[in-house]
Coordinates of all heavy atoms in Angstrom, one line a residue:
I510 N 70.6 -29.6 343.6 CA 70.0 -30.3 342.3 C 70.1 -29.2 341.0 O 70.3 -29.5 340.0 CB 68.6 -30.7 342.6 CG1 68.1 -31.4 341.3 CG2 67.6 -29.5 342.9 CD1 66.9 -32.3 341.5
E511 N 70.2 -28.0 341.5 CA 70.3 -27.0 340.5 C 71.7 -26.7 340.1 O 72.0 -25.8 339.1 CB 69.5 -25.7 341.0 CG 68.0 -25.8 341.1 CD 67.3 -24.5 341.2 OE1 67.8 -23.5 340.7 OE2 66.2 -24.5 341.7
G512 N 72.7 -27.2 340.9 CA 74.1 -26.9 340.6 C 74.7 -27.5 339.6 O 74.0 -28.3 338.8
S513 N 76.0 -27.7 339.6 CA 76.7 -28.4 338.6 C 76.7 -29.9 338.9 O 77.1 -30.2 340.0 CB 78.0 -27.9 338.1 OG 78.8 -27.8 339.3
W514 N 76.5 -30.8 337.9 CA 76.5 -32.3 338.2 C 77.9 -32.8 337.7 O 78.5 -32.3 336.8 CB 75.4 -32.9 337.5 CG 74.1 -32.7 338.1 CD1 73.4 -31.6 338.2 CD2 73.4 -33.6 339.0 NE1 72.2 -31.7 338.9 CE2 72.3 -33.0 339.4 CE3 73.8 -34.9 339.4 CZ2 71.4 -33.7 340.4 CZ3 72.8 -35.5 340.3 CH2 71.6 -34.9 340.7
S515 N 78.3 -33.9 338.5 CA 79.7 -34.6 338.2 C 79.5 -35.2 336.7 O 78.5 -35.3 336.1 CB 79.9 -35.5 339.3 OG 79.1 -36.7 338.9
Q516 N 80.6 -35.7 336.3 CA 80.6 -36.5 335.1 C 79.8 -37.9 335.5 O 79.6 -38.1 336.6 CB 82.0 -36.9 334.7 CG 82.9 -36.0 334.2 CD 84.3 -36.4 333.7 OE1 84.8 -37.3 334.5 NE2 84.8 -35.9 332.7
R517 N 79.5 -38.7 334.5 CA 78.8 -40.0 334.7 C 79.8 -41.0 334.9 O 81.0 -40.9 334.5 CB 78.1 -40.2 333.5 CG 76.9 -39.3 333.2 CD 75.9 -39.7 332.2 NE 76.7 -39.8 330.9 CZ 77.0 -40.8 330.2 NH1 76.8 -42.0 330.8 NH2 77.5 -40.7 329.0
H518 N 79.6 -42.0 335.8 CA 80.4 -43.1 336.0 C 79.5 -44.4 335.9 O 78.3 -44.3 336.2 CB 80.9 -42.9 337.5 CG 81.6 -41.8 337.9 ND1 82.8 -41.5 337.7 CD2 81.0 -40.7 338.5 CE1 83.1 -40.2 338.1 NE2 81.9 -39.7 338.6
N519 N 80.1 -45.4 335.5 CA 79.3 -46.6 335.3 C 78.7 -47.1 336.6 O 79.3 -47.1 337.7 CB 80.3 -47.8 334.7 CG 80.6 -47.5 333.3 OD1 80.0 -46.8 332.6 ND2 81.6 -48.2 332.8
F520 N 77.5 -47.7 336.4 CA 76.7 -48.1 337.4 C 76.2 -49.6 337.2 O 75.6 -49.9 336.2 CB 75.5 -47.2 337.7 CG 74.6 -47.6 338.9 CD1 75.1 -47.3 340.2 CD2 73.4 -48.0 338.8 CE1 74.4 -47.6 341.2 CE2 72.6 -48.4 339.8 CZ 73.1 -48.1 341.2
G521 N 76.8 -50.6 337.8 CA 76.4 -51.9 337.5 C 77.2 -52.5 336.3 O 78.2 -51.7 335.8
D522 N 76.8 -53.5 335.8 CA 77.6 -54.0 334.6 C 77.2 -53.5 333.2 O 76.3 -52.6 333.3 CB 77.8 -55.6 334.6 CG 76.3 -56.2 334.2 OD1 75.4 -55.5 334.1 OD2 76.3 -57.5 334.2
E523 N 77.6 -54.1 332.1 CA 77.2 -53.6 330.8 C 75.8 -53.5 330.5 O 75.4 -52.9 329.4 CB 78.1 -54.2 329.7 CG 77.8 -55.5 329.3 CD 78.6 -56.5 330.3 OE1 79.3 -56.1 331.4 OE2 78.6 -57.7 330.1
T524 N 75.0 -54.3 331.2 CA 73.5 -54.3 331.0 C 72.9 -53.8 332.3 O 71.6 -53.9 332.4 CB 73.0 -55.7 330.6 OG1 73.2 -56.5 331.7 CG2 73.5 -56.2 329.3
T525 N 73.5 -53.3 333.3 CA 73.2 -53.0 334.6 C 72.2 -54.2 335.2 O 71.2 -54.1 335.7 CB 72.1 -51.7 334.5 OG1 72.7 -50.7 333.6 CG2 72.1 -51.0 335.9
F526 N 73.0 -55.3 335.1 CA 72.4 -56.6 335.4 C 71.0 -56.7 334.8 O 70.0 -57.1 335.5 CB 72.3 -56.7 336.9 CG 73.7 -56.4 337.6 CD1 73.9 -55.5 338.5 CD2 74.8 -57.2 337.3 CE1 75.1 -55.2 339.2 CE2 76.0 -57.0 337.8 CZ 76.2 -56.0 338.7
H527 N 70.9 -56.5 333.5 CA 69.7 -56.7 332.8 C 68.6 -55.8 333.3 O 67.4 -56.4 333.6 CB 69.4 -58.1 332.6 CG 68.4 -58.4 331.5 ND1 68.3 -59.6 330.9 CD2 67.4 -57.7 330.9 CE1 67.3 -59.6 330.0 NE2 66.8 -58.3 329.9
S528 N 68.7 -54.5 333.5 CA 67.8 -53.7 334.2 C 67.9 -52.3 333.7 O 68.9 -51.9 333.3 CB 67.7 -53.8 335.8 OG 68.9 -53.2 336.2

Side-chain angles (χ1 to χ4, degrees):
I510 190 157
E511 297 196 21
S513 58
W514 283 77
S515 72
Q516 286 184 327
R517 297 185 293 101
H518 309 273
N519 285 348
F520 186 71
D522 69 0
E523 67 275 11
T524 64
T525 321
F526 306 121
H527 199 152
S528 73

